[in-house]
């Protein structure tokens, strides 16, 4: 067995990013994600990388845009209000077809909200990570080990598809420590002929740009990008099925709340209730097929989130009326208890 | 088997460190573990607490609400959590700082004057590890060797001199 370390989710994300070949980090402190920046501040100078604490989130994301333009693997991280500030730059990054990875360690909102764990940024991450017609790939790990695994996928897929990739974490997953082992996986090195990294007069210069004043030209860039999105949808949508094969009630949950739901599903099984869970690992693309397939046997669905109900929209779209969907959530920084979720499952089983 | 552990006290009493030692002992014994701290305003002078799960199976919720092992190192923590302990729970209370005694008869409560013991034995600030020692003796949450190794792992290299003090505190807790 590979050596297991005890690490906070935030630290594991940072170490995995370095292992995946990231040598540039730009950020600005905010609870509960600051350990990522602190880890990078310690490590980057020792490995010839760049750690820079910018004067604001907006400055940091624009530094990401610059580094990504030069073709290097680059990371930024923040928490909910800070992500809102970064969305302008993210939209420019998407419009310029640049790869980068951005981590959101969610806290309660809206506004400055609170600093406790939340999942209230689902809509922002999957629908509105900035203005304009675009998506970002969104991963939602639910353990410290899975964080490590998705960081590699995030950097690889950002480069492959030239899109921003978000890792949507939260205060609970970021602050908790769990055993983690690091895979023996090489950072994938992709040739980036589009990068603006100096041409020594040996080729035509590359232009990184998101401004197109001719609508025909702009439409073409958007349509081309959406063709890539179709490939992404087909290849990357991912979910974990837990005890769904014979389940009457399927609970859908991601990230931190899926940990609570797993305990509740186990408790329901102990009481003889046929409950199971589908856990989306990618939120965009949403694992539509996993949900639709479960509807062939399950009678009811229950969506559990640390919000007032955001992912439930995608669950409903995936089900397309095939089964009724109920919702249970806590918000504002409250983590639901397994007992509360069990109560909801029991109500549906009656 | 799953042990759901909750440690609570003032910020600065080493609650998170004690939890980390227990979690590391579980890691050394190749168990599944999780360690979840409270963070935020509590850490700045109020109460700090920390959930630790040590299990043979993958851990679902890492948040411990009904602990079967509880350490309460100050009165607010005692008041908040003593009635949350699961029936049959093992509870260690720092009786130097908590004068109350519970009326519950369905839990095993050990009142250890941990802060006093620490001060009298030249182990100031190590009441937390005295409590861990008491828990080790009463619950066997891990082997002694694993806890000793965990302490060696958790004490930062810069403070290596603290290892022996921690081990003395551990033994003191086991003897009281």
């Amino acid at each position: 067995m590979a050596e297991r370390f005890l690490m906070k989710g935030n630290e594991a994300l940072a170490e995995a990013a370095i292992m995946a070949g990231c040598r540039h980090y730009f950020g600005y402190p905010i609870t509960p994600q600051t350990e990522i920046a602190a880890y990078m501040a310690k490590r980057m100078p020792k490995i010839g990388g760049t750690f820079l604490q910018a004067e604001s989130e907006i400055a940091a994301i624009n530094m990401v845009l610059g580094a990504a333009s030069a073709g290097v693997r680059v990371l930024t991280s923040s928490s909910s209000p800070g992500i809102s500030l970064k969305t302008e730059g993210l939209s420019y990054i998407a419009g310029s077809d640049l790869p980068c990875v951005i981590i959101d360690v969610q806290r309660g909102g809206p506004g400055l909200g609170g600093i406790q764990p939340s999942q209230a940024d689902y809509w922002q991450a999957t629908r509105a990570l900035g203005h304009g017609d675009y998506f970002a790939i969104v991963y939602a790990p639910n353990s410290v080990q899975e964080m490590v695994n998705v960081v590699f996928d995030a950097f690889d897929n950002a480069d492959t598809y030239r899109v921003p990739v978000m890792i949507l974490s939260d205060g609970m997953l970021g602050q908790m420590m769990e055993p983690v082992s690091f895979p023996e996986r090489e950072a994938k090195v992709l040739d980036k002929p589009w990068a603006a990294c100096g041409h020594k007069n040996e080729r035509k210069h590359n232009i990184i740009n998101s401004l197109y004043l001719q609508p025909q030209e702009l439409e073409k860039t958007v349509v081309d990008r959406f063709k890539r999105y179709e490939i992404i949808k087909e290849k990357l949508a991912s979910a974990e099925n837990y005890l769904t094969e014979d389940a009457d009630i399927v609970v859908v949950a991601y990230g931190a709340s899926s940990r609570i739901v797993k305990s509740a599903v186990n408790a329901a099984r102990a009481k003889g209730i046929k409950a199971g869970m589908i856990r989306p690992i990618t939120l965009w693309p949403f694992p539509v097929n996993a949900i639709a397939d479960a509807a062939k046997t399950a009678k009811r669905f229950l969506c559990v989130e640390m919000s007032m109900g955001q992912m439930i929209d995608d669950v409903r779209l995936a089900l397309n009326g095939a089964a009724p969907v109920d919702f249970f959530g806590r918000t504002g920084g409250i983590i639901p208890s397994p007992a509360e979720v069990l109560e909801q499952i029991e109500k549906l089983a009656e | 088997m799953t042990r759901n552990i909750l440690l609570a006290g003032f910020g600065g009493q080493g609650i998170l460190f004690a939890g980390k030692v227990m979690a590391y002992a579980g890691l050394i014994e190749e168990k599944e573990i999780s360690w979840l701290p409270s963070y935020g305003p509590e850490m700045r002078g109020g109460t700090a607490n920390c959930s630790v799960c040590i299990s043979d199976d993958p851990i679902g919720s890492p948040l411990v609400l009904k602990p079967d092992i509880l350490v309460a190192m100050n009165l607010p923590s005692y008041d908040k959590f003593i009635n949350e302990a699961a029936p049959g729970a093992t509870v260690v209370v720092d009786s130097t700082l908590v004068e109350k005694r519970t009326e519950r008869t369905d839990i095993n409560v050990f009142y250890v004057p941990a802060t006093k013991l620490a001060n009298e034995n030249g182990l100031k600030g190590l009441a937390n590890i005295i409590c861990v020692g008491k828990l080790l003796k009463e619950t066997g949450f891990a082997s002694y060797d694993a806890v000793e190794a965990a302490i060696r792992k958790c004490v930062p290299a810069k403070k290596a001199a603290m290892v022996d003090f921690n081990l003395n505190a551990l033994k003191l807790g086991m003897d009281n």
Side-chain angles (χ1 to χ4, degrees):
Chain A
M1 194 202 273
E3 189 178 353
R4 297 198 307 167
F5 302 91
L6 193 58
M7 276 178 118
K8 281 191 170 194
N10 284 341
E11 296 164 343
L13 282 169
E15 180 57 34
I18 290 169
M19 292 180 80
C22 172
R23 291 293 178 275
H24 296 79
Y25 174 93
F26 306 99
Y28 188 80
I30 181 172
T31 304
Q33 67 80 44
T34 301
E35 290 84 1
I36 301 174
Y39 195 93
M40 289 303 196
K42 257 191 222 161
R43 288 275 280 133
M44 281 300 192
K46 290 181 186 152
I47 54 173
T50 300
F51 163 86
L52 202 151
Q53 182 178 318
E55 70 271 32
S56 71
E57 284 86 349
I58 298 170
I61 193 68
N62 286 314
M63 291 172 186
V64 169
L65 191 155
S69 301
V72 299
R73 287 196 159 177
V74 56
L75 174 73
T76 187
S77 61
S78 192
S79 178
S80 308
I83 296 292
S84 295
L85 289 166
K86 288 181 196 285
T87 52
E88 178 193 64
L90 270 165
S91 181
Y92 286 23
I93 287 168
S96 308
D97 291 317
L98 292 172
C100 73
V101 176
I102 175 163
I103 297 167
D104 181 2
V105 185
Q106 297 172 91
R107 57 189 247 181
L112 281 175
I115 59 171
Q116 298 302 320
S118 161
Q119 297 182 320
D121 298 352
Y122 181 94
W123 280 331
Q124 183 187 51
T126 60
R127 297 292 191 282
L129 208 50
H131 61 279
D133 243 353
Y134 83 93
F135 288 102
I137 297 170
V138 183
Y139 287 99
N142 85 335
S143 68
V144 177
Q145 182 64 59
E146 196 173 55
M147 284 187 177
V148 169
N149 304 342
V150 303
V151 165
F152 282 85
D153 293 341
F155 277 104
D156 286 353
N157 288 317
D159 280 352
T160 301
Y161 298 104
R162 292 179 64 182
V163 293
V165 178
M166 170 168 269
I167 296 171
L168 194 63
S169 175
D170 62 69
M172 184 180 109
L173 295 170
Q175 294 294 323
M176 73 189 280
M177 287 200 290
E178 284 185 315
V180 59
S181 53
F182 290 92
E184 286 180 27
R185 182 168 158 178
E186 293 290 314
K188 197 160 141 187
V189 184
L190 280 191
D191 196 25
K192 295 178 177 175
W194 49 263
C197 51
H199 53 73
K200 297 173 185 154
N201 290 322
E202 284 166 9
R203 60 161 166 78
K204 234 180 121 212
H205 62 259
N206 289 330
I207 297 173
I208 308 287
N209 172 48
S210 72
L211 177 67
Y212 298 90
L213 293 174
Q214 294 297 333
Q216 289 82 356
E217 221 185 316
L218 177 55
E219 186 187 49
K220 187 181 177 307
T221 68
V222 175
V223 169
D224 285 351
R225 204 169 294 123
F226 270 72
K227 284 179 191 157
R228 299 210 298 282
Y229 292 162
E230 285 307 312
I231 302 169
I232 291 170
K233 279 187 194 172
E234 199 181 305
K235 288 198 172 170
L236 300 188
S238 159
E240 177 200 356
N241 280 54
Y242 182 69
L243 304 176
T244 50
E245 244 169 51
D246 65 337
D248 293 328
I249 299 165
V250 170
V251 189
V252 187
Y254 73 96
S257 50
S258 70
R259 299 290 296 260
I260 313 300
V261 167
K262 197 169 201 174
S263 292
V265 163
N266 288 341
R269 286 274 170 176
K271 290 188 165 194
I273 300 170
K274 286 184 178 173
M277 174 175 76
I278 293 179
R279 175 175 74 85
I281 297 169
T282 54
L283 301 180
W284 195 90
F286 194 72
V288 173
N289 293 339
I291 305 277
D293 287 348
K296 289 173 189 160
T297 46
K299 296 185 183 106
R300 298 196 76 112
F301 285 74
L302 172 67
C303 195
V304 175
E305 301 175 56
M306 279 145 56
S307 75
M308 293 302 284
Q310 300 190 8
M311 182 177 69
I312 188 172
D313 290 356
D314 280 332
V315 175
R316 285 205 179 103
L317 284 169
L319 285 169
N320 200 15
V325 193
D326 287 86
F327 177 75
F328 178 73
R330 297 295 303 268
T331 194
I334 307 270
I335 302 170
S337 71
E340 281 176 306
V341 177
L342 175 62
E343 199 184 311
Q344 299 296 319
I345 296 172
E346 284 179 308
K347 248 192 244 169
L348 295 178
E350 275 167 14
Chain B
M1 176 175 191
T2 301
R3 295 179 195 271
N4 294 309
I5 304 158
L6 186 63
L7 304 106
F10 287 123
Q13 277 182 314
I15 293 294
L16 302 186
F17 181 83
K20 196 172 165 185
V21 166
M22 294 179 77
Y24 245 111
L27 182 83
I28 288 163
E29 295 192 333
E30 298 192 354
K31 300 283 171 88
E32 299 294 333
I33 50 163
S34 64
W35 173 96
L36 178 69
S38 59
Y39 63 91
E42 308 95 308
M43 285 172 71
R44 298 175 184 98
T47 57
N49 68 69
C50 168
S51 296
V52 177
C53 301
I54 304 177
S55 180
D56 295 319
D57 304 307
I59 292 158
S61 170
L63 183 63
V64 174
L65 299 165
K66 298 277 175 199
D68 32 54
I69 294 178
L70 172 66
V71 176
M73 289 191 65
N74 67 2
L75 187 61
S77 302
Y78 174 90
D79 284 342
K80 192 169 173 189
F81 296 119
I82 192 71
N83 290 325
E84 302 303 322
T90 302
V91 181
V92 172
V93 175
D94 184 341
S95 58
T96 311
L97 302 174
V98 180
E99 287 179 2
K100 284 190 189 171
R101 300 292 178 264
T102 184
E103 286 171 8
R104 285 185 68 174
T105 54
D106 63 335
I107 53 177
N108 305 310
V109 189
F110 299 91
Y111 299 95
V112 181
T115 298
K116 185 162 163 268
L117 282 169
N119 292 344
E120 286 173 353
N121 289 277
L123 299 168
K124 205 165 188 303
L126 289 173
N128 57 342
I129 299 301
I130 291 175
C131 292
V132 171
K134 183 66 180 172
L135 276 184
L136 180 58
K137 183 182 159 197
E138 300 302 336
T139 69
F141 68 84
S143 68
Y144 173 82
D145 289 348
V147 179
E148 182 181 327
I151 285 175
R152 292 184 188 283
K153 190 102 187 168
C154 292
V155 173
K158 274 185 279 183
K159 294 185 183 172
M162 288 299 291
V163 168
D164 287 343
F165 290 116
N166 275 274
L167 294 178
N168 289 343
L170 186 70
K171 285 173 196 145
L172 192 59
M174 293 173 75
D175 293 341
N176 273 276

